[in-house]
Amino acid sequence: MAVDLNHTIVPSRDKRASAEFLGKILGLKVGKDWGPFTPVETANGVTLDYMEAHGFRPIHYCFIVSEPEFDEIFARVREQGVTYWADPGHHTPGEINKLYGGRGFYFDDPSGHNMEVITAPYS
């Protein structure tokens, strides 16, 4: 039996601003609003459906990309002046990590979600 993730709801203070921020950083298309959601679709077809909410706790989202895509994404992060860290606890600012034979970093979206970009899976 094959089971795939189709979508997840991402609570946000401003769904359009958060979706546009992530889309711009990752180079992904932001879809038209659909009901209460603003979707951002990843290459494997999973959508992050941004929805306005209040009183939520920040969530962690991890995106695996190729080495060339990492370079492009990291360049956009630096060009836009987005603060980034090498670790999920945000103790090592301005650095990337080199774990599991790849590279990675973390950054916060406008609603405080802890976003991660990696080039090698943690396995």
Side-chain angles (χ1 to χ4, degrees):
M1 177 172 149
V3 178
D4 293 317
L5 181 64
N6 177 265
H7 69 275
T8 188
I9 295 173
V10 182
S12 61
R13 292 183 204 107
D14 180 328
K15 65 182 183 178
R16 177 56 60 177
S18 291
E20 294 284 351
F21 172 83
L22 186 68
K24 189 171 184 179
I25 292 290
L26 297 182
L28 298 173
K29 180 183 174 196
V30 177
K32 294 180 182 178
D33 287 354
W34 184 76
F37 307 113
T38 301
V40 177
E41 186 173 353
T42 64
N44 62 347
V46 175
T47 59
L48 290 97
D49 294 334
Y50 281 86
M51 182 177 84
E52 291 186 8
H54 303 283
F56 57 87
R57 291 180 187 212
I59 303 168
H60 171 69
Y61 298 92
C62 182
F63 304 93
I64 190 162
V65 300
S66 69
E67 288 287 341
E69 290 166 330
F70 183 94
D71 291 336
E72 293 170 9
I73 291 166
F74 191 59
R76 286 191 288 270
V77 163
R78 294 181 68 186
E79 286 168 8
Q80 294 178 36
V82 174
T83 302
Y84 60 93
W85 298 265
D87 62 294
H90 297 85
H91 300 293
T92 313
E95 295 182 29
I96 65 170
N97 66 58
K98 295 178 181 163
L99 301 173
Y100 305 97
R103 297 182 291 162
F105 69 94
Y106 298 80
F107 64 97
D108 288 342
D109 85 341
S111 292
H113 296 301
N114 192 4
M115 304 299 191
E116 179 181 13
V117 177
I118 59 174
T119 61
Y122 296 166
S123 52

